[in-house]
């Protein structure tokens, strides 16, 4: 059993009368990559900010890398954070920036510089080390931010939407980096994101938040095998005059629910889309288009965060 | 008005009565230039055995070589009131005086007691005011040009460094 | 230790890539203009040389303090706005060190302003032998005022929800404090004198004038320096006490 690196107990945060995070509890282990999921405003950033001690919680406590929340400076020394939409000092070079932050974590001038050079190599910025950050692309800045989060060799790393605004290649680079961090360093990574395939690729477990509450948590396999997630849904389009007949054909199938809006039929079934498609085609109805909600995790995600399993 | 009164009183009652208040000046001679401010301070001491009433101290400037003196130009507040002094007590009073004209002057202070007691006059300060020292603009101009020029070069160098490291 | 690292980086940012050199340049142009006018203007009959020194010294102190305040007012709210504050807060460095480092960086601008003012004070003051007096007055009064304003600027910056608010509030405060120095002869009446003494800026400027122009001794009107000294002590204590608590991710009153 790997050691516990992160434990949150009943963590809450109110902004005035609005609840941003409501009694969130979870545990994370060494080398684990936790995906923090949830729609906009679910409280992901707020949770990360509380755990990284830049925002005091309204209630609850937590332990990070064995340090209790009552010692924020001790926690900060052991974590690395890529904040949501972080800014960078545009006139510093990547090397200056990382060296400066290394020094803020107590490294000597030489150590900080060596660490900076090594990290810039690891995130693929070695050739741009002496360029001003202003000249970096968005993806390069994100990688610089990740390098910054690693200057203190942290035991827990928080990445708040690290792939935001990146192209697929950029996203892949970041995810490779995340996997490397977790595997090579045995670091716990908490990854907040909206991109679900990303979670399936790199995360060992997920925590889905909605309106500040934990809706579901567990390994990716556990979460996707919940009942809601195993149901598959899709949308069929048929000629408008055929809509009533198609709905009737589909409703005859076992375990299928159908919702009709105009000429689109939204269907959900426990055993995949194939039987439904063949039933419609067998009835001689022209199928104009159909699409299936692909990833199974996203089903779980949507089902849980829309407040119900239909 | 007060000045006239003071002079009048001084003329009519020369220092005959036994003065119970003594006025001294901090200096006996000062040299300055036209336009310069001088701070003239004096000490007023009650040398008598009974307390004084409220006192009024008045500064006066008299020319020794016939230069016209308009006291209002020399100091904005020639007359100052002093607190009552007990026997043996003393107090400081000072005037800011601007030397308006060149020439040789005597500056002295008069203390007017409340009621019928006699005036006290300080020994005069011998004041020599030299003619106006004109400022050499020629000295200031090089500095006024060189300093911004040097800083401009610094700004340029820093900007250049920023532009060249991309 | 970490305050030194922060101060070092902040100073590099200010002087090597920031507004430091430009602000100092503009400041020197202003002093040049005033010095030249003061030295050549024969229309103003009574602009005696000491008064020229006094004029340049007052402007040097006022504008130097203004520049220091501008940098201080930007220090925290500016970082918040550029999104770089969170990274700084994420380091184990104490909030107090952050505040101290930024205070030092802001004060470096006053240091530069003081050094730039020296040649002007020298060229105007050398003829009437007041260079030493003028430099010492600038150093003492200017530093005390700059330090208190920098501390106040940092407090405002930490408290402001946006950088604009911070700059506007700081400039307004400075203007309100400096405006009375332009009123003629406030100290003639006892109420006016009290007002001059209470306001650290007018008190400091008035003291400069008394020593430099009116020929008063250093000790004669030392009481005018009470409010500047009180101001710097109060501002420094307030910054030391409140600074660590209000250096937060979000500004404004009453937010998380
Ligand atoms: N400083 C703040 N003041 C007031 N309310 C806030 C503040 N920060 C966050 N909130 C509120 O807290 C809730 C959670 O916000 P949070 O930023 O944690 O969401 P999120 O899950 O990160 O969303 P996103 O996916 O859009 O980044 C939201 O309702 C938000 O409006
Ligand atoms: Mg967020």
């Amino acid at each position: 059993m790997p050691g516990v690196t992160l434990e949150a107990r009943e963590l809450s945060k109110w902004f005035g009368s609005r609840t941003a995070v409501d009694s969130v509890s979870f545990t994370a282990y060494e080398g684990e990559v936790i995906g923090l999921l949830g729609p906009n405003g679910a409280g992901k950033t707020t949770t990360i900010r509380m755990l990284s001690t830049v925002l005091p919680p309204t209630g609850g406590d937590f332990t990070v890398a064995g340090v209790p929340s009552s010692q924020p400076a001790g926690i900060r020394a052991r974590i690395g954070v890529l904040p949501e939409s972080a800014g960078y000092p545009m006139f510093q070079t990547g090397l200056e920036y990382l060296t400066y932050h290394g020094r803020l974590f107590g490294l000597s001038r030489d150590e900080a510089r060596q660490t900076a050079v090594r990290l810039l190599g690891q995130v693929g910025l070695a050739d741009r080390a002496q360029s001003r950050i202003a000249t970096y692309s968005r993806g390069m800045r994100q990688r610089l931010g990740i390098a910054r989060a690693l200057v203190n060799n942290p035991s827990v790393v928080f990445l708040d939407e690290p792939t935001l605004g990146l192209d697929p290649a950029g996203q892949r680079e970041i995810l490779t980096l995340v996997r490397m961090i977790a595997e090579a360093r045995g670091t716990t990574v908490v990854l907040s994101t909206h991109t679900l395939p990303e979670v399936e690729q790199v995360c060992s477990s997920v925590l889905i938040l909605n309106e500040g509450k934990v809706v579901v948590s567990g390994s990716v396999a556990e979460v996707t095998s919940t009942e809601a997630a195993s149901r598959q849904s899709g949308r069929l389009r048929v000629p408008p005059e055929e809509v009533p007949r198609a709905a009737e054909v589909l409703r005859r199938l076992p375990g299928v629910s159908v919702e009709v809006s105009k000429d689109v039929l939204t269907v959900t079934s426990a055993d995949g889309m194939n039987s439904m498609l063949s039933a419609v085609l067998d009835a001689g109805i022209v199928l104009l288009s159909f699409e299936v909600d692909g990833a199974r995790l996203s089903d779980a995600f949507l089902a849980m965060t829309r407040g119900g399993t239909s | 008005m007060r000045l006239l009164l003071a002079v009048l009183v001084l003329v009519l009652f020369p220092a005959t009565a036994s003065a119970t208040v003594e006025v001294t000046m901090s200096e006996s001679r000062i040299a300055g230039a036209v336009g310069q401010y001088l701070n003239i301070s004096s000490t007023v001491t009650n040398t008598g055995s009974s307390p004084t009433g409220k006192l009024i101290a008045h500064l006066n400037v008299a020319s020794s070589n016939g230069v016209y003196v308009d006291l209002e130009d020399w100091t904005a507040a020639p007359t100052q009131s002093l607190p009552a002094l007990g026997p043996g007590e003393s107090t400081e009073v000072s005037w800011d005086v601007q030397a308006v004209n060149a020439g040789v002057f005597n500056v002295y202070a008069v203390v007017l007691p409340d009621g019928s007691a006699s005036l006290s006059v300080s020994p005069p300060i011998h004041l020599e005011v030299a003619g106006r020292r004109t400022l050499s603009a020629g000295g200031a101009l090089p500095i006024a040009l060189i300093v911004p020029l040097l800083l401009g070069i610094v700004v340029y160098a820093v900007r250049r460094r920023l532009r060249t490291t991309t | 230790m970490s305050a030194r690292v922060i101060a070092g980086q902040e100073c590099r940012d200010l002087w090597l890539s920031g507004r430091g050199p430009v602000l100092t340049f503009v400041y020197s142009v202003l002093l040049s203009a005033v010095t030249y006018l003061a030295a050549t203007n024969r229309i103003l009959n009574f602009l005696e040389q000491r008064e020229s020194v006094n004029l340049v010294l007052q402007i040097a102190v006022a504008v130097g303090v203004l520049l220091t305040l501008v940098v201080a007012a930007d220090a925290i709210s500016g970082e918040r706005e550029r999104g770089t504050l969170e990274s700084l807060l994420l380091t184990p460095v104490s909030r107090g060190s952050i505040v101290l480092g930024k205070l030092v960086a802001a004060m470096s601008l006053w240091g530069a302003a003081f050094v730039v003012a020296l040649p002007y004070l020298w060229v105007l003051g050398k003829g009437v032998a007041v260079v030493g007096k003028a430099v010492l007055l600038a150093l003492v009064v200017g530093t005390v005022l700059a330090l208190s304003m920098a501390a106040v600027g940092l407090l405002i910056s930490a408290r402001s929800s946006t950088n604009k608010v911070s700059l506007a509030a700081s400039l307004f405060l400075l203007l309100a404090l400096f405006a009375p120095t332009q009123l003629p002869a406030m100290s003639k009446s006892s109420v006016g004198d009290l007002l001059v003494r209470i306001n650290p800026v007018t008190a400091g400027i008035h003291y400069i004038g008394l020593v430099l122009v009116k020929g008063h001794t250093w000790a004669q009107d030392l009481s005018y320096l009470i409010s500047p000294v009180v101001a710097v002590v109060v501002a420094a204590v307030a910054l030391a006490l409140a600074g660590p608590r209000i250096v937060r991710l979000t500004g404004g009153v009453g937010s998380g």
Side-chain angles (χ1 to χ4, degrees), chain B residues 65-145:
Chain B
N65 51 1
V67 176
Y68 171 71
V69 172
D70 183 349
L71 193 61
E72 275 185 19
D73 285 346
W74 285 68
T75 173
T79 307
Q80 301 187 28
S81 53
L82 303 178
L85 294 174
E89 274 184 348
S90 68
T91 183
E92 294 272 327
V93 55
S94 75
W95 290 266
D96 285 321
V97 176
Q98 188 175 28
V100 178
N101 313 99
V104 181
F105 303 88
N106 281 305
V107 180
Y108 59 94
V110 181
V111 172
L112 299 86
D114 209 24
S116 62
S118 63
L119 291 174
S120 309
V121 184
S122 75
I125 298 177
H126 185 76
L127 172 63
E128 279 178 44
V129 182
R132 185 167 170 77
R133 256 180 302 206
T134 43
L135 203 61
S136 58
L141 190 59
I143 294 286
L145 289 178

Side-chain angles (χ1 to χ4, degrees), chain B residues 29-48:
Chain B
R29 102 189 353 263
I30 301 178
V34 169
Q36 188 176 341
Y37 279 93
L38 307 162
N39 185 246
I40 290 168
S41 65
S42 72
T43 310
V44 180
T45 313
N46 180 0
T47 50

Side-chain angles (χ1 to χ4, degrees), chain A residues 39-46 48-49 84-85 160-161 192 194:
Chain A
N40 290 126
K44 305 181 294 293
T45 300
T46 307
I48 288 180
R49 283 183 174 160
E84 177 176 53
S85 48
D160 200 347
E161 304 197 26
S192 138
H194 292 285

Side-chain angles (χ1 to χ4, degrees), chain C residues 25-83:
Chain C
F25 171 71
V26 173
Y27 171 80
S28 76
V29 170
L30 181 72
L31 286 191
S32 283
V34 175
T35 301
Y36 186 72
L37 288 178
T40 53
N41 199 338
R42 286 154 209 274
I43 301 164
L44 293 171
N45 208 14
F46 270 126
L47 198 58
E48 197 250 342
Q49 197 153 351
R50 275 166 233 270
E51 289 186 77
S52 309
V53 180
N54 187 38
L55 179 69
V56 172
L57 178 51
Q58 286 191 7
I59 288 177
V61 168
V63 180
V65 170
L66 168 80
L67 299 185
T68 311
L69 183 67
V70 166
V71 171
D74 174 80
I76 293 165
S77 49
E79 281 221 40
R80 224 179 247 144
E81 218 152 272
R82 294 186 286 274

Side-chain angles (χ1 to χ4, degrees), chain A residues 100-212:
Chain A
Y100 174 44
H101 276 272
R103 299 215 62 200
L104 291 179
F105 277 94
L107 301 183
S108 73
R109 204 185 296 272
D110 289 340
E111 287 168 342
R113 205 182 160 81
Q114 283 160 16
T115 309
V117 169
R118 176 169 51 78
L119 286 172
L120 283 167
Q122 282 178 16
V123 299
L125 287 174
D127 54 331
R128 299 299 299 273
Q130 305 279 3
S131 304
R132 305 206 172 277
I133 298 176
T135 67
Y136 285 16
S137 72
R138 191 179 188 119
M140 292 163 77
R141 284 179 203 170
Q142 288 290 64
R143 279 183 279 150
L144 181 68
I146 293 179
R148 196 206 69 85
L150 300 176
V151 284
N152 56 332
N153 206 1
S155 32
V156 181
V157 171
F158 298 90
L159 305 174
D160 200 347
E161 304 197 26
T163 56
L164 189 71
L166 301 189
D167 65 9
Q171 295 189 5
R172 200 167 332 109
E173 280 173 21
I174 298 281
L175 293 182
T176 314
L177 211 54
V178 170
R179 215 176 287 128
M180 179 201 85
I181 295 167
E183 283 166 11
R185 295 166 175 254
T187 310
T188 303
V189 180
V190 177
L191 181 78
S192 138
T193 181
H194 292 285
T195 326
L196 297 161
E198 198 166 273
V199 178
E200 286 175 317
Q201 275 177 48
V202 297
C203 295
S204 41
S205 60
V206 290
L207 190 72
I208 300 184
L209 290 181
N210 190 35
E211 292 176 356

